């Protein structure tokens, strides 16, 4: 009996403490206003004072916010929001109206599948392509022509874009794919060396499926070809089959590489045996059929 009494007493003490903290917080006008908007009983709210203060801060951050880039909240584009569930309060991160609008506007980007490519590439856009450099003219013309042709259902070759590290190769092709994504065209940007590593390790499992999807996707970029560790299997069975399929089906295919096509040929004939040379030649012939070769000599953009 004595024990039970102590227990009730402790609970009361705790309750008093919670009440005090809550009352203290309510002396802040912003908090008071925030609480009044919730329309939830004080008895429940007082158990969550410190969390409610966090939510109140985020709510107020939102009230004068000009846009996503100025977001001050913990999770950019989200606001910590309390909600009553039975006899408890739960706190969830809700997307703000700017974030919802952006997601709606950018929903088309789900058409671009990325494999081991930084997500920022989804920001790449044709209108932001650097045009400050005369060396970029050839590739930009190629991309603009491709875009026009593809929209008009004219079959157009992809492109084999070679150039030094960081000059913007991946960005340029991604900008094209992002643009066509708006027209509901599905595409994939595959970081080829990593894709191959994964494929080798688990070809029999889920990668077989990924491989099939990539082979058949309407637009494909094999990014950084030539940087992979090569085996006859990956050259002939994997790359060879992807290229053959895409040639037969007339599916536009793009490549970026630090190597020119000629250098890629040496890379692919990794032994000096005649057989390897013939097989490497065959791959190069397929790439040539699928693409126009463009070299981009431009400065490193990575530190911009
Ligand atoms: P590469 O594939 O040739 O190594 P990237 O395409 O990765 O080079 O580009 C290097 C960096 O420069 C990336 O961070 C990319 O986002 C940026 N970049 C390249 N072109 C542009 C551009 N037109 N506008 C904005 N950023 C760009
Ligand atoms: Mg790249």
């Amino acid at each position: 009996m004595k024990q039970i009494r102590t227990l009730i007493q402790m609970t009361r003490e705790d309750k008093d403490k919670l009440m005090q903290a809550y009352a203290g917080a309510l002396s802040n006008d912003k908090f008071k206003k925030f609480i009044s908007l919730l329309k939830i009983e004080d008895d429940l709210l007082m158990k969550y004072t410190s969390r409610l203060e966090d939510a109140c801060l985020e709510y107020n951050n939102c009230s004068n916010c000009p846009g996503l880039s100025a977001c001050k909240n913990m999770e950019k584009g989200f606001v910590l929001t309390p909600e009553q569930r039975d006899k408890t309060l739960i706190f969830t991160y809700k997307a703000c109206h700017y974030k919802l609008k952006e997601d709606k506007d950018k929903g088309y980007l789900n058409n671009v599948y990325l494999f081991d490519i930084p997500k920022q590439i989804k920001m790449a856009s044709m209108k932001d392509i650097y045009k400050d450099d005369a060396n970029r003219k050839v590739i930009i013309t190629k991309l603009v022509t491709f875009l026009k042709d593809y929209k008009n259902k004219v079959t157009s070759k992809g492109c084999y874009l070679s150039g030094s590290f960081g000059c913007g190769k991946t960005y340029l092709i991604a900008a094209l794919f992002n643009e066509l994504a708006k027209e509901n065209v599905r595409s994939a940007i595959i970081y080829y060396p990593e894709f191959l590593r994964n494929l080798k390790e688990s070809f029999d499992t889920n990668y077989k499926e990924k491989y099939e999807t990539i082979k058949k996707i309407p637009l494909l970029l094999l990014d950084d070809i030539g940087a992979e560790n090569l085996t006859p299997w990956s050259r002939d069975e994997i790359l060879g089959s992807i290229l053959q399929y895409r040639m037969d089906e007339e599916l536009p295919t793009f490549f970026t590489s630090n190597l020119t096509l000629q250098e890629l040929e040496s890379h692919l004939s990794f032994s000096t045996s005649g057989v390897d040379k013939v097989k490497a030649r065959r791959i190069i012939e397929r790439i040539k059929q699928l693409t126009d070769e463009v070299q981009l000599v431009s400065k490193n953009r990575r530190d911009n």
Side-chain angles (χ1 to χ4, degrees):
M1 192 63 189
K2 194 168 165 239
Q3 254 178 343
I4 294 174
R5 220 175 287 136
T6 328
L7 205 68
I8 295 170
Q9 225 178 341
M10 263 183 65
T11 317
R12 267 195 209 126
E13 272 173 26
D14 282 351
K15 202 172 169 183
D16 283 350
K17 270 194 209 145
L18 290 175
M19 197 61 192
Q20 264 171 24
Y22 182 62
L26 279 174
S27 63
N28 178 317
D29 284 346
K30 285 186 174 163
F31 187 78
K32 199 168 168 181
K33 182 170 168 244
F34 177 68
I35 292 297
S36 71
L37 295 170
L38 296 176
K39 313 227 176 316
I40 298 173
E41 296 282 313
D42 287 333
D43 265 4
L44 178 59
L45 291 173
M46 70 178 198
K47 294 180 189 160
Y48 302 89
T49 303
S50 120
R51 206 76 178 117
L52 285 166
E53 284 175 322
D54 293 342
C56 171
L57 186 70
E58 297 222 329
Y59 171 82
N60 282 300
N61 284 341
C62 287
S63 63
N64 290 319
C65 175
L68 275 182
S69 57
C71 177
K72 291 185 190 150
N73 288 350
M74 282 280 284
E75 295 274 335
K76 189 175 166 191
F78 291 86
V79 54
L80 187 65
T81 310
E83 273 176 346
Q84 184 167 4
R85 290 275 161 85
D86 298 326
K87 291 193 166 57
T88 57
L89 269 196
I90 57 158
F91 289 81
T92 48
Y93 281 97
K94 291 225 155 124
C96 71
H97 65 280
Y98 293 119
K99 175 79 180 133
L100 287 172
K101 181 170 182 323
E102 188 190 76
D103 287 352
K104 189 163 166 267
D105 293 349
K106 299 266 171 83
Y108 64 88
L109 288 175
N110 292 334
N111 286 322
V112 186
Y113 170 76
L114 301 182
F115 184 93
D116 201 34
I117 298 282
K119 293 256 180 311
Q120 296 99 286
I121 207 72
K122 299 239 176 197
M123 311 283 273
S125 98
M126 292 288 279
K127 71 173 178 6
D128 294 335
I129 283 178
Y130 299 128
K131 300 185 183 76
D132 55 344
D133 181 345
N135 291 332
R136 300 177 147 248
K137 219 173 154 195
V138 180
I139 179 64
I140 293 173
T141 309
K142 165 74 193 162
L143 298 181
V144 171
T145 312
F146 183 92
L147 186 64
K148 199 169 109 232
D149 285 350
Y150 201 86
K151 283 185 180 175
N152 291 324
K153 314 252 181 280
V154 175
T155 321
S156 196
K157 278 186 170 189
C159 135
Y160 183 93
L161 181 58
S162 64
S164 55
F165 172 82
C167 66
K169 302 182 293 297
T170 308
Y171 186 98
L172 285 160
I173 312 293
L176 171 72
F177 285 10
N178 289 344
E179 196 62 35
L180 281 165
K182 291 180 191 164
E183 315 281 319
N184 256 335
V185 179
R186 284 184 314 113
S187 57
I189 304 179
I190 307 297
Y191 183 61
Y192 189 60
E194 185 57 27
F195 178 67
L196 213 51
R197 252 195 300 279
N198 281 284
L199 206 57
K200 257 184 229 160
E201 280 165 17
S202 50
F203 189 65
D204 292 335
T205 55
N206 53 342
Y207 273 90
K208 173 98 170 107
E209 205 178 304
K210 265 198 187 124
Y211 163 78
E212 287 298 326
T213 311
I214 282 158
K215 195 165 88 172
K216 295 172 183 168
I217 197 121
L219 293 177
L220 174 66
L221 166 59
L222 293 181
D223 193 46
D224 240 340
I225 192 168
E228 72 282 11
N229 286 326
L230 210 70
T231 62
W233 174 76
S234 63
R235 179 192 58 199
D236 307 329
E237 304 301 319
I238 301 302
L239 185 57
S241 317
I242 294 178
L243 301 183
Q244 187 65 49
Y245 183 89
R246 300 188 67 83
M247 259 165 56
D248 295 346
E249 301 297 319
E250 298 192 342
L251 295 170
T253 309
F254 293 76
F255 303 83
T256 67
S257 182
N258 291 338
L259 309 179
T260 61
L261 259 181
Q262 207 177 4
E263 288 164 340
L264 184 71
E265 186 168 349
S266 317
H267 171 75
L268 293 174
S269 47
F270 49 95
S271 89
T272 47
S273 90
V275 178
D276 270 336
K277 281 196 166 150
V278 170
K279 290 196 165 163
R281 180 85 234 140
R282 198 174 293 158
I283 299 279
I284 298 297
E285 285 309 324
R286 287 179 192 163
I287 296 181
K288 278 188 175 163
Q289 281 213 37
L290 281 163
T291 64
D292 294 322
E293 185 178 6
V294 180
Q295 286 184 32
L296 180 60
V297 184
S298 199
K299 65 177 182 189
N300 189 341
R301 304 274 171 174
R302 295 219 177 215
D303 303 323
N304 277 351

